[in-house]
Amino acid sequence: MTVLLSYPYVLLRRFVRTSFSSPPSGGSIIPSLDEYSRSQAILLELDTTGRVLVSELAERFSVSAVTIRKDLETLEQRSALRRIRGGAVSARAVDEGAFETRLRARRQHKVAIARAAAALVQDGDVIALDSSTTCHYLARELLDRRSLVVITNGMPTATLFSERSDATVFVPGGVVRRSARSVVGIAGDVLAGRGRITKGFLGAHAVSPERGLLDMSLDEAQVKHHMAVHCRELYGLLDSSKFGGFSLHTAAPIEAITAVYTDQGADQQVVAALAAAGVPVRVVEVEKQPPHEEVSDQ
């Protein structure tokens, strides 16, 4: 699955550089892309500009406006964008967005946080990882650990461990959220009575010194809460953009959090307030990303 995700993205980045960067009157046309690849290119453009137009997309992809409207309708059904007259805009203000899109956002920050948090995990641990992209990067750092038991509601994370490690992977049942690539539902009933999880790792849409880790999706918050209550230790993995942000639903209360890992851009007032509430914040250094670095899922 990881190779499948990375190949279209690397390919499409090259397409986007040669096509979307040029004006419609003189730009290149992207040849013969299927629906999935067109969708990924559309999301890349939205991630960059926040807005796309049907007429320009039809010209770029050399397809009809009707085809583009169907593409946009499908993406809107996945909550990956919001349609407007003549095109679409990014939906990130009201939804966490498609997993693949979030995986690329602030990648170097998430990787640095994941590498620091990976030092907490030992061979034989029972760990919980939510469906966040930062926890997916953590999963990549743990593939060489032996005899892990991994509990996750993240479909890409579950597939990664099952294909590339000897970990025992446990996915609580429920309903699939297509855009987020997660399973939400009855995690609490499934985990009850099975013993304690050694360490849990959760991402979040925001963090609050009063309310703890927060999520925009009630379903995601409930799954995270059910995992959190079974953990001996619980760590929040949040890049600095999540500090001082707004969100709705508590995924883990402040008293349940062992520590938070973030990068050096975190709002210092929030960091101080978390520390005052008894939650230490581990700040990691982020390596500068080389220009034009290609993102790989390897």
Side-chain angles (χ1 to χ4, degrees):
M1 178 177 288
T2 51
V3 174
L4 193 62
L5 290 176
S6 65
Y7 173 74
Y9 174 64
V10 173
L11 192 63
L12 285 169
R13 279 194 64 168
R14 298 191 185 108
F15 284 149
V16 170
R17 285 176 188 160
T18 58
S19 300
F20 280 108
S21 59
S22 303
S25 59
S28 303
I29 293 175
I30 299 178
S32 304
L33 291 186
D34 59 20
E35 179 183 356
Y36 175 82
S37 298
R38 287 197 308 272
S39 295
Q40 295 305 297
I42 290 169
L43 292 175
L44 279 173
E45 177 68 2
L46 278 174
D47 198 34
T48 302
T49 67
R51 181 187 182 99
V52 293
L53 298 176
V54 170
S55 57
E56 291 185 1
L57 292 174
E59 182 178 348
R60 298 297 185 188
F61 298 138
S62 192
V63 297
S64 69
V66 172
T67 297
I68 294 299
R69 290 190 186 97
K70 288 180 179 178
D71 289 345
L72 297 182
E73 181 179 357
T74 299
L75 289 169
E76 186 177 48
Q77 289 173 353
R78 291 168 45 197
S79 300
L81 54 76
R82 182 168 60 86
R83 294 178 68 191
I84 60 172
R85 184 177 179 83
V89 295
S90 173
R92 284 188 297 172
V94 295
D95 185 26
E96 70 269 29
F99 179 86
E100 289 83 358
T101 302
R102 291 184 289 116
L103 196 65
R104 298 189 299 271
R106 298 178 66 82
R107 176 182 181 272
Q108 63 269 36
H109 299 76
K110 296 174 182 178
V111 169
I113 293 165
R115 286 176 178 166
L120 298 168
V121 181
Q122 307 300 317
D123 291 348
D125 277 350
V126 180
I127 63 172
L129 304 177
D130 70 2
S131 61
S132 67
T133 52
T134 307
C135 281
H136 185 72
Y137 282 118
L138 173 59
R140 298 183 189 186
E141 299 294 324
L142 301 178
L143 296 177
D144 63 346
R145 301 295 195 276
R146 309 302 296 176
S147 303
L148 291 180
V149 176
V150 179
I151 300 161
T152 182
N153 73 316
M155 295 170 64
T157 297
T159 302
L160 180 69
F161 275 114
S162 66
E163 291 181 346
R164 296 175 54 187
S165 80
D166 71 350
T168 299
V169 181
F170 182 82
V171 180
V175 178
V176 173
R177 296 184 71 219
R178 288 183 176 85
S179 177
R181 305 281 297 281
S182 64
V183 180
V184 296
I186 57 175
D189 294 338
V190 174
L191 294 176
R194 296 186 180 273
R196 300 291 285 175
I197 299 168
T198 313
K199 301 177 182 76
F201 300 90
L202 302 179
H205 190 264
V207 59
S208 161
E210 296 79 27
R211 297 186 177 273
L213 303 180
L214 302 170
D215 230 289
M216 288 296 286
S217 165
L218 178 59
D219 288 337
E220 292 285 354
Q222 289 175 335
V223 172
K224 293 179 184 186
H225 172 75
H226 289 315
M227 288 196 291
V229 298
H230 294 282
C231 295
R232 290 195 181 98
E233 300 174 11
L234 184 68
Y235 298 92
L237 307 185
L238 314 167
D239 70 76
S240 56
S241 69
K242 310 298 177 63
F243 280 64
F246 174 82
S247 199
L248 295 175
H249 308 289
T250 297
I254 197 71
E255 60 270 16
I257 304 170
T258 304
V260 168
Y261 280 69
T262 189
D263 59 83
Q264 65 265 41
D267 186 311
Q268 290 305 300
Q269 289 186 335
V270 179
V271 170
L274 286 170
V279 178
V281 178
R282 314 298 187 198
V283 178
V284 304
E285 186 174 347
V286 179
E287 296 180 5
K288 291 185 178 180
Q289 189 175 20
H292 307 305
E293 178 184 274
E294 296 287 5
V295 176
S296 172
D297 249 10
Q298 298 300 316

Coordinates of all heavy atoms in Angstrom, one line a residue, residues 6-70:
S6 N 2.8 6.3 -2.7 CA 3.9 7.3 -3.1 C 4.1 7.4 -4.6 O 4.4 8.5 -5.0 CB 5.2 6.8 -2.4 OG 5.6 5.5 -3.0
Y7 N 3.9 6.4 -5.4 CA 4.2 6.5 -6.8 C 3.4 7.5 -7.5 O 3.9 8.4 -8.2 CB 4.0 5.1 -7.4 CG 4.1 5.1 -8.9 CD1 5.3 5.3 -9.5 CD2 2.9 5.1 -9.7 CE1 5.4 5.3 -10.9 CE2 3.0 5.2 -11.1 CZ 4.3 5.3 -11.7 OH 4.4 5.4 -13.1
P8 N 2.0 7.6 -7.3 CA 1.3 8.6 -8.0 C 1.7 10.0 -7.5 O 1.7 11.0 -8.3 CB -0.2 8.3 -7.6 CG -0.2 6.9 -7.2 CD 1.1 6.7 -6.6
Y9 N 2.1 10.2 -6.2 CA 2.4 11.5 -5.7 C 3.7 12.0 -6.4 O 3.7 13.2 -6.8 CB 2.5 11.5 -4.2 CG 3.0 12.8 -3.7 CD1 2.2 13.9 -3.8 CD2 4.2 12.9 -3.1 CE1 2.7 15.1 -3.4 CE2 4.7 14.1 -2.6 CZ 3.9 15.2 -2.8 OH 4.4 16.4 -2.4
V10 N 4.7 11.2 -6.4 CA 6.0 11.6 -7.0 C 5.8 12.0 -8.4 O 6.3 13.0 -8.9 CB 7.1 10.5 -6.8 CG1 8.3 10.9 -7.5 CG2 7.4 10.3 -5.3
L11 N 5.0 11.1 -9.1 CA 4.8 11.4 -10.5 C 4.0 12.7 -10.7 O 4.3 13.5 -11.6 CB 4.0 10.2 -11.1 CG 3.8 10.1 -12.6 CD1 5.2 9.9 -13.2 CD2 2.9 8.9 -12.9
L12 N 3.0 12.9 -9.9 CA 2.1 14.0 -10.1 C 2.8 15.3 -9.7 O 2.5 16.4 -10.2 CB 0.9 13.9 -9.2 CG -0.1 12.9 -9.8 CD1 -1.2 12.5 -8.8 CD2 -0.8 13.4 -11.1
R13 N 3.8 15.3 -8.8 CA 4.5 16.5 -8.5 C 5.2 17.0 -9.7 O 5.3 18.2 -9.9 CB 5.5 16.3 -7.3 CG 4.9 16.3 -5.9 CD 5.9 16.4 -4.9 NE 6.6 17.7 -4.9 CZ 7.4 18.1 -4.0 NH1 7.6 17.5 -2.9 NH2 8.0 19.3 -4.1
R14 N 5.8 16.1 -10.5 CA 6.4 16.5 -11.7 C 5.4 17.1 -12.7 O 5.7 18.1 -13.3 CB 7.1 15.3 -12.3 CG 8.2 14.7 -11.5 CD 9.1 13.7 -12.2 NE 10.0 13.1 -11.4 CZ 9.9 11.8 -11.0 NH1 8.9 11.1 -11.4 NH2 10.8 11.3 -10.2
F15 N 4.2 16.5 -12.8 CA 3.2 17.0 -13.7 C 2.8 18.4 -13.2 O 2.6 19.3 -14.0 CB 1.9 16.1 -13.6 CG 2.1 14.8 -14.4 CD1 1.4 13.7 -14.0 CD2 2.9 14.8 -15.5 CE1 1.6 12.5 -14.7 CE2 3.0 13.6 -16.3 CZ 2.4 12.5 -15.8
V16 N 2.6 18.6 -11.9 CA 2.1 19.9 -11.4 C 3.1 21.0 -11.7 O 2.8 22.1 -12.0 CB 1.7 19.8 -9.9 CG1 1.5 21.1 -9.3 CG2 0.5 18.9 -9.7
R17 N 4.4 20.7 -11.5 CA 5.4 21.7 -11.7 C 5.4 22.2 -13.2 O 5.6 23.3 -13.4 CB 6.8 21.1 -11.4 CG 7.0 21.0 -9.9 CD 8.4 20.3 -9.7 NE 8.6 20.1 -8.3 CZ 9.4 19.2 -7.8 NH1 10.2 18.5 -8.7 NH2 9.6 19.0 -6.5
T18 N 5.2 21.2 -14.1 CA 5.2 21.6 -15.5 C 3.9 22.2 -16.1 O 3.9 22.8 -17.1 CB 5.7 20.4 -16.4 OG1 4.7 19.4 -16.2 CG2 7.1 20.0 -16.0
S19 N 2.8 21.9 -15.3 CA 1.5 22.3 -15.9 C 0.9 23.4 -15.1 O 0.5 24.4 -15.7 CB 0.7 21.0 -15.9 OG 1.2 20.0 -16.6
F20 N 0.7 23.2 -13.8 CA -0.1 24.2 -13.1 C 0.7 25.5 -12.9 O 0.1 26.6 -12.7 CB -0.5 23.7 -11.7 CG -1.7 22.8 -11.8 CD1 -1.6 21.5 -11.6 CD2 -2.9 23.3 -12.0 CE1 -2.7 20.6 -11.6 CE2 -4.0 22.5 -12.1 CZ -3.9 21.2 -11.9
S21 N 2.0 25.5 -13.0 CA 2.8 26.7 -12.9 C 2.8 27.5 -14.1 O 3.2 28.7 -14.1 CB 4.3 26.3 -12.6 OG 4.8 25.5 -13.6
S22 N 2.2 27.0 -15.2 CA 2.2 27.8 -16.5 C 0.8 28.3 -16.7 O -0.2 27.7 -16.3 CB 2.5 26.9 -17.7 OG 3.8 26.4 -17.5
P23 N 0.6 29.5 -17.3 CA -0.7 30.0 -17.5 C -1.5 29.2 -18.5 O -0.9 28.5 -19.3 CB -0.4 31.4 -18.1 CG 0.9 31.3 -18.7 CD 1.7 30.4 -17.8
P24 N -2.8 29.2 -18.4 CA -3.7 28.3 -19.3 C -3.4 28.5 -20.8 O -3.5 27.6 -21.6 CB -5.1 28.8 -19.0 CG -5.0 29.3 -17.6 CD -3.7 30.0 -17.5
S25 N -3.0 29.7 -21.2 CA -2.9 30.0 -22.6 C -1.6 29.3 -23.2 O -1.5 29.0 -24.4 CB -2.8 31.5 -22.9 OG -1.7 32.0 -22.2
G26 N -0.6 29.0 -22.3 CA 0.6 28.5 -22.8 C 1.1 27.3 -22.1 O 2.2 26.8 -22.3
G27 N 0.3 26.8 -21.1 CA 0.7 25.7 -20.2 C 0.7 24.3 -20.9 O 0.0 24.2 -21.9
S28 N 1.4 23.4 -20.3 CA 1.3 22.0 -20.8 C 0.0 21.3 -20.5 O -0.6 21.7 -19.5 CB 2.5 21.2 -20.3 OG 3.7 21.9 -20.6
I29 N -0.3 20.3 -21.2 CA -1.5 19.5 -20.9 C -1.0 18.2 -20.3 O -0.1 17.6 -20.8 CB -2.3 19.2 -22.2 CG1 -2.9 20.5 -22.7 CG2 -3.4 18.2 -21.9 CD1 -3.6 20.4 -24.0
I30 N -1.6 17.8 -19.2 CA -1.3 16.6 -18.5 C -2.0 15.4 -19.3 O -3.2 15.4 -19.4 CB -1.8 16.5 -17.1 CG1 -1.1 17.7 -16.3 CG2 -1.5 15.2 -16.4 CD1 -1.5 17.8 -14.8
P31 N -1.2 14.5 -19.8 CA -1.8 13.5 -20.7 C -2.4 12.3 -19.9 O -1.8 11.8 -19.0 CB -0.6 13.0 -21.5 CG 0.6 13.2 -20.6 CD 0.3 14.4 -19.7
S32 N -3.6 11.9 -20.3 CA -4.1 10.6 -20.0 C -4.0 10.1 -18.6 O -3.6 9.0 -18.3 CB -3.4 9.5 -20.9 OG -3.5 9.8 -22.2
L33 N -4.4 11.0 -17.7 CA -4.5 10.6 -16.3 C -5.8 9.9 -16.0 O -6.9 10.4 -16.4 CB -4.3 11.8 -15.4 CG -3.0 12.5 -15.3 CD1 -2.9 13.6 -14.3 CD2 -1.8 11.5 -15.1
D34 N -5.8 8.9 -15.1 CA -7.0 8.3 -14.7 C -7.7 9.1 -13.6 O -7.1 10.1 -13.1 CB -6.8 6.8 -14.2 CG -5.8 6.7 -13.1 OD1 -5.6 7.7 -12.4 OD2 -5.3 5.6 -12.9
E35 N -8.9 8.7 -13.1 CA -9.6 9.5 -12.2 C -8.8 9.7 -10.9 O -8.8 10.8 -10.3 CB -10.9 8.8 -11.9 CG -11.8 9.6 -10.8 CD -13.1 8.9 -10.5 OE1 -13.4 7.8 -11.1 OE2 -13.8 9.3 -9.6
Y36 N -8.2 8.6 -10.4 CA -7.4 8.7 -9.1 C -6.3 9.7 -9.3 O -6.1 10.6 -8.4 CB -6.9 7.4 -8.7 CG -6.0 7.4 -7.5 CD1 -6.5 7.4 -6.2 CD2 -4.6 7.5 -7.6 CE1 -5.7 7.5 -5.1 CE2 -3.8 7.6 -6.5 CZ -4.4 7.6 -5.2 OH -3.5 7.6 -4.1
S37 N -5.5 9.6 -10.3 CA -4.4 10.5 -10.5 C -4.8 12.0 -10.7 O -4.2 12.9 -10.2 CB -3.6 10.0 -11.7 OG -3.0 8.8 -11.5
R38 N -6.0 12.2 -11.5 CA -6.5 13.5 -11.6 C -6.9 14.1 -10.2 O -6.6 15.2 -9.9 CB -7.7 13.6 -12.5 CG -7.4 13.4 -14.0 CD -8.6 13.8 -14.8 NE -9.9 13.2 -14.4 CZ -10.4 12.1 -14.8 NH1 -9.6 11.4 -15.7 NH2 -11.5 11.6 -14.4
S39 N -7.5 13.2 -9.4 CA -7.9 13.7 -8.0 C -6.7 14.1 -7.2 O -6.7 15.1 -6.5 CB -8.7 12.6 -7.3 OG -9.9 12.3 -8.0
Q40 N -5.6 13.3 -7.3 CA -4.4 13.7 -6.5 C -3.8 15.0 -7.0 O -3.3 15.8 -6.2 CB -3.4 12.5 -6.6 CG -3.9 11.3 -5.9 CD -4.3 11.5 -4.5 OE1 -3.5 11.9 -3.6 NE2 -5.5 11.2 -4.2
A41 N -3.8 15.2 -8.3 CA -3.3 16.4 -8.9 C -4.2 17.6 -8.4 O -3.6 18.7 -8.1 CB -3.2 16.4 -10.4
I42 N -5.5 17.4 -8.4 CA -6.4 18.5 -8.0 C -6.1 18.8 -6.5 O -6.0 20.0 -6.1 CB -7.8 18.1 -8.2 CG1 -8.2 18.0 -9.7 CG2 -8.8 19.0 -7.4 CD1 -9.5 17.3 -10.0
L43 N -5.9 17.8 -5.7 CA -5.6 18.1 -4.3 C -4.3 18.8 -4.1 O -4.1 19.6 -3.2 CB -5.7 16.8 -3.5 CG -7.1 16.1 -3.4 CD1 -6.9 14.7 -2.7 CD2 -8.0 17.0 -2.7
L44 N -3.3 18.4 -4.9 CA -2.0 19.1 -4.8 C -2.2 20.6 -5.1 O -1.6 21.5 -4.5 CB -1.0 18.5 -5.8 CG -0.3 17.2 -5.4 CD1 0.5 16.6 -6.5 CD2 0.6 17.5 -4.2
E45 N -3.0 20.9 -6.2 CA -3.2 22.3 -6.5 C -3.9 23.0 -5.4 O -3.6 24.2 -5.1 CB -3.9 22.4 -7.9 CG -4.3 23.8 -8.3 CD -3.0 24.6 -8.7 OE1 -1.9 24.1 -8.6 OE2 -3.2 25.8 -9.0
L46 N -4.9 22.4 -4.8 CA -5.7 23.0 -3.7 C -4.8 23.2 -2.5 O -4.9 24.2 -1.9 CB -6.8 22.1 -3.3 CG -8.1 22.2 -4.2 CD1 -9.1 21.2 -3.7 CD2 -8.7 23.6 -4.0
D47 N -3.9 22.3 -2.3 CA -2.9 22.4 -1.2 C -2.0 23.6 -1.4 O -1.6 24.2 -0.4 CB -2.1 21.1 -1.0 CG -1.5 21.0 0.3 OD1 -2.1 21.4 1.3 OD2 -0.3 20.4 0.4
T48 N -1.7 23.9 -2.6 CA -0.8 25.1 -2.9 C -1.6 26.4 -3.0 O -1.1 27.4 -2.4 CB -0.1 24.8 -4.3 OG1 0.6 23.6 -4.2 CG2 0.8 25.9 -4.6
T49 N -2.7 26.4 -3.7 CA -3.4 27.7 -4.0 C -4.7 27.9 -3.2 O -5.2 29.0 -3.1 CB -3.7 27.8 -5.5 OG1 -4.7 26.8 -5.9 CG2 -2.4 27.6 -6.3
G50 N -5.3 26.8 -2.8 CA -6.5 26.9 -2.1 C -7.8 26.9 -3.0 O -8.9 27.0 -2.5
R51 N -7.6 26.9 -4.3 CA -8.7 27.1 -5.2 C -8.4 26.5 -6.6 O -7.3 26.7 -7.0 CB -9.0 28.6 -5.3 CG -10.2 29.0 -6.2 CD -10.3 30.5 -6.4 NE -11.4 30.9 -7.2 CZ -12.6 31.3 -6.7 NH1 -12.8 31.4 -5.4 NH2 -13.6 31.6 -7.5
V52 N -9.4 25.9 -7.2 CA -9.2 25.4 -8.6 C -10.5 25.8 -9.4 O -11.5 25.9 -8.8 CB -9.0 23.9 -8.6 CG1 -7.7 23.5 -8.0 CG2 -10.1 23.1 -8.0
L53 N -10.3 25.9 -10.7 CA -11.4 26.2 -11.6 C -11.6 25.0 -12.6 O -10.7 24.4 -13.1 CB -11.1 27.5 -12.4 CG -10.9 28.8 -11.6 CD1 -10.5 29.9 -12.5 CD2 -12.2 29.1 -10.8
V54 N -12.9 24.7 -12.8 CA -13.3 23.6 -13.7 C -12.7 23.8 -15.1 O -12.1 22.9 -15.7 CB -14.8 23.5 -13.8 CG1 -15.2 22.5 -14.9 CG2 -15.4 23.1 -12.5
S55 N -12.8 25.1 -15.7 CA -12.3 25.3 -17.0 C -10.8 25.1 -17.1 O -10.3 24.5 -18.1 CB -12.6 26.7 -17.4 OG -12.0 27.7 -16.5
E56 N -10.0 25.5 -16.2 CA -8.6 25.3 -16.2 C -8.2 23.8 -16.0 O -7.3 23.3 -16.7 CB -7.9 26.2 -15.1 CG -8.0 27.7 -15.4 CD -7.2 28.5 -14.4 OE1 -6.6 27.8 -13.5 OE2 -7.2 29.7 -14.5
L57 N -8.9 23.1 -15.1 CA -8.6 21.7 -14.9 C -8.9 20.9 -16.2 O -8.2 20.0 -16.6 CB -9.4 21.2 -13.7 CG -9.0 21.7 -12.4 CD1 -10.0 21.2 -11.3 CD2 -7.6 21.4 -12.0
A58 N -10.0 21.2 -16.8 CA -10.4 20.5 -18.0 C -9.4 20.7 -19.1 O -9.0 19.7 -19.8 CB -11.8 21.0 -18.5
E59 N -8.8 21.9 -19.3 CA -7.8 22.1 -20.2 C -6.5 21.4 -19.9 O -5.9 20.8 -20.7 CB -7.5 23.7 -20.4 CG -6.5 24.0 -21.4 CD -6.3 25.5 -21.6 OE1 -7.1 26.3 -21.0 OE2 -5.3 25.9 -22.2
R60 N -6.1 21.5 -18.6 CA -4.9 20.8 -18.2 C -4.9 19.3 -18.4 O -3.9 18.7 -18.9 CB -4.6 21.1 -16.7 CG -4.4 22.5 -16.3 CD -3.2 23.1 -17.0 NE -3.0 24.5 -16.5 CZ -2.1 25.3 -17.1 NH1 -1.3 24.9 -18.1 NH2 -2.0 26.5 -16.6
F61 N -6.0 18.7 -18.1 CA -6.1 17.3 -18.1 C -6.6 16.8 -19.5 O -6.7 15.6 -19.7 CB -7.1 16.7 -17.0 CG -6.6 17.0 -15.6 CD1 -7.5 17.5 -14.7 CD2 -5.2 16.9 -15.3 CE1 -7.0 17.7 -13.4 CE2 -4.8 17.1 -14.0 CZ -5.7 17.6 -13.1
S62 N -7.0 17.7 -20.4 CA -7.5 17.3 -21.7 C -8.7 16.4 -21.6 O -8.8 15.4 -22.2 CB -6.4 16.7 -22.5 OG -6.9 16.6 -23.9
V63 N -9.7 16.8 -20.7 CA -10.9 16.1 -20.5 C -12.0 17.1 -20.5 O -11.8 18.3 -20.5 CB -11.0 15.3 -19.2 CG1 -9.9 14.2 -19.2 CG2 -10.8 16.2 -18.0
S64 N -13.3 16.7 -20.5 CA -14.4 17.6 -20.6 C -14.7 18.2 -19.2 O -14.3 17.7 -18.1 CB -15.7 16.8 -21.0 OG -16.1 15.9 -20.0
A65 N -15.4 19.3 -19.2 CA -15.8 20.0 -18.0 C -16.7 19.1 -17.1 O -16.7 19.1 -15.9 CB -16.5 21.3 -18.3
V66 N -17.5 18.2 -17.8 CA -18.4 17.3 -17.1 C -17.6 16.3 -16.3 O -17.9 16.0 -15.2 CB -19.3 16.5 -18.1 CG1 -20.1 15.4 -17.4 CG2 -20.2 17.5 -18.8
T67 N -16.5 15.8 -16.9 CA -15.6 14.9 -16.2 C -15.0 15.5 -14.9 O -14.9 14.9 -13.9 CB -14.5 14.4 -17.1 OG1 -15.0 13.7 -18.2 CG2 -13.5 13.5 -16.4
I68 N -14.5 16.8 -15.1 CA -13.9 17.5 -13.9 C -15.0 17.7 -12.8 O -14.7 17.5 -11.7 CB -13.3 18.8 -14.4 CG1 -12.1 18.6 -15.3 CG2 -12.9 19.7 -13.2 CD1 -11.0 17.8 -14.7
R69 N -16.2 18.1 -13.2 CA -17.2 18.3 -12.2 C -17.5 17.0 -11.5 O -17.7 17.0 -10.2 CB -18.5 18.8 -12.9 CG -18.4 20.2 -13.4 CD -19.8 20.8 -13.8 NE -19.6 22.1 -14.5 CZ -19.6 22.3 -15.8 NH1 -19.7 21.2 -16.6 NH2 -19.4 23.5 -16.3
K70 N -17.5 15.8 -12.2 CA -17.7 14.6 -11.5 C -16.5 14.3 -10.5 O -16.7 13.8 -9.4 CB -17.8 13.4 -12.5 CG -19.1 13.4 -13.3 CD -19.1 12.3 -14.3 CE -20.5 12.3 -15.1 NZ -20.5 11.2 -16.1

